[in-house]
Amino acid sequence: MHSLFNGKVIENYPLHKITWFKVGGNADFFVKIRSIAELSQLLKEKPKDMPLFILGAGSNILMRDGGFRGLVVKLAGDFSKWHIENDNTVIAGAGVLDKTLALTMGEAGYANLEFMVGIPGTIGGALIMNAGAYGVEVKDVLQWVDLMSMNGEIIRLTPDDLKMAYRKGHIPKEHFVLKAAFKVQKEDPAVVQDKLNSMLDKKEAAQPMTGRTGGSTFKNPLPHSAWELVDKVGGRGLKNGNAQISIKHCNFLLNLGDATAKEIEDLGEEVRKRVKEQEDINLEWEIIRVGTPLLTL
Ligand SMILES: Cc1cc2nc3c(=O)[nH]c(=O)nc-3n(C[C@H](O)[C@H](O)[C@H](O)COP(=O)(O)OP(=O)(O)OC[C@H]3O[C@@H](n4cnc5c(N)ncnc54)[C@H](O)[C@@H]3O)c2cc1C
């Protein structure tokens, strides 16, 4: 595989370096793709039976200790660009960071994307998760999204096509998010900046934004809050080796330094078990667990 695609594919790539939890084994193969043409070429050259994982900023995944048996693809280059159209739309590549987009829109005096300022992922990940904060979700501002299938076909879908829901983008499986268009509106930059600052302050006060974490661990089993249930069953501050449930916000799992992915996952499972036994509620993982556990003899 590494000899294909102009030798740009790296073998045995350490994924812990590029995920927020800073855990996980190696990918058999890893490649950064910089344009739609490169992506089409890669999909033509990739053996059809080789598993593929699309990695954004790695802020919502737990990569297991055994790593990923297949090809991990990260979008960069052209996918990290955005532009404004008609003063009411921003078109952003899948590799653009949500925070960067929110901040630059603010500086340019465009409102609507402020909620993205505290979300450390990419536009691709935001579409997959229907990411949201403070009552606004991607689906509320999305006009359309362009996707590429594993056969290289490009389709454009709207929120009506997707029927997005709480933390579910309903993006068809085995598709790359290429770029998306969002509704924006002209606003006094100072007003947008105030909103951005207040959202960032609130987030930093309530959540461990700089820790080695994967964001909200479990989806809220509405009408309940996941953090309340975790707290109720004694989860706050609970440890397993070097993994801990955050004391600041107990729907966040933390890697205290050199935790393994297994320690983190087992801690999450322990809490799920307690919530099921004590509250009869099934907590559903929001964090996406990827790859294989480390085999021990
Ligand atoms: C400190 C912290 C705070 C957070 N706060 C919030 C919050 O307020 N609101 C919120 O909704 N989330 C929050 N999150 C979670 C996370 O940032 C979001 O879910 C984000 O949208 C994930 O984007 P990502 O690029 O990191 O995706 P990754 O974690 O890399 O991947 C997530 C999923 O998206 C897929 N994916 C990524 N890019 C593409 C693409 N181009 N095409 C197809 N599939 C793709 C991956 O295959 C994977 O299935 C937080 C996380 C952290 C660590």
Side-chain angles (χ1 to χ4, degrees), residues 82 84 86-90 100-114 183-196:
W82 68 90
I84 303 262
N86 304 325
D87 245 6
N88 60 11
T89 302
V90 60
T100 308
L101 191 62
L103 290 175
T104 48
M105 286 303 104
E107 277 165 24
Y110 289 95
N112 278 9
L113 303 188
E114 296 88 322
K183 295 169 234 168
V184 290
Q185 61 193 57
K186 268 291 197 191
E187 178 58 277
D188 178 352
V191 172
V192 188
Q193 197 55 54
D194 275 355
K195 231 170 143 185
L196 288 167

Side-chain angles (χ1 to χ4, degrees), residues 108-168:
Y110 289 95
N112 278 9
L113 303 188
E114 296 88 322
F115 74 99
M116 289 188 182
V117 74
I119 305 178
T122 59
I123 292 301
L127 262 294
I128 297 294
M129 302 305 295
N130 184 25
Y134 303 112
V136 189
E137 298 173 312
V138 163
K139 74 173 174 53
D140 302 323
V141 291
L142 182 69
Q143 290 183 342
W144 50 257
V145 55
D146 278 357
L147 308 173
M148 184 185 276
S149 72
M150 295 299 151
N151 295 326
E153 287 152 1
I154 297 181
I155 51 168
R156 178 164 294 182
L157 297 178
T158 64
D160 281 350
D161 300 323
L162 292 167
K163 303 198 173 30
M164 298 166 99
Y166 169 64
R167 295 301 169 268
K168 287 190 172 117

Side-chain angles (χ1 to χ4, degrees), residues 56-102:
S59 66
N60 204 216
I61 63 157
L62 177 62
M63 182 57 68
R64 293 194 173 109
D65 301 307
F68 187 76
R69 301 287 73 77
L71 173 67
V72 173
V73 180
K74 194 166 166 69
L75 300 181
D78 289 353
F79 296 102
S80 305
K81 295 178 182 165
W82 68 90
H83 67 275
I84 303 262
E85 274 184 11
N86 304 325
D87 245 6
N88 60 11
T89 302
V90 60
I91 298 175
V96 173
L97 287 174
D98 304 336
K99 180 172 185 165
T100 308
L101 191 62

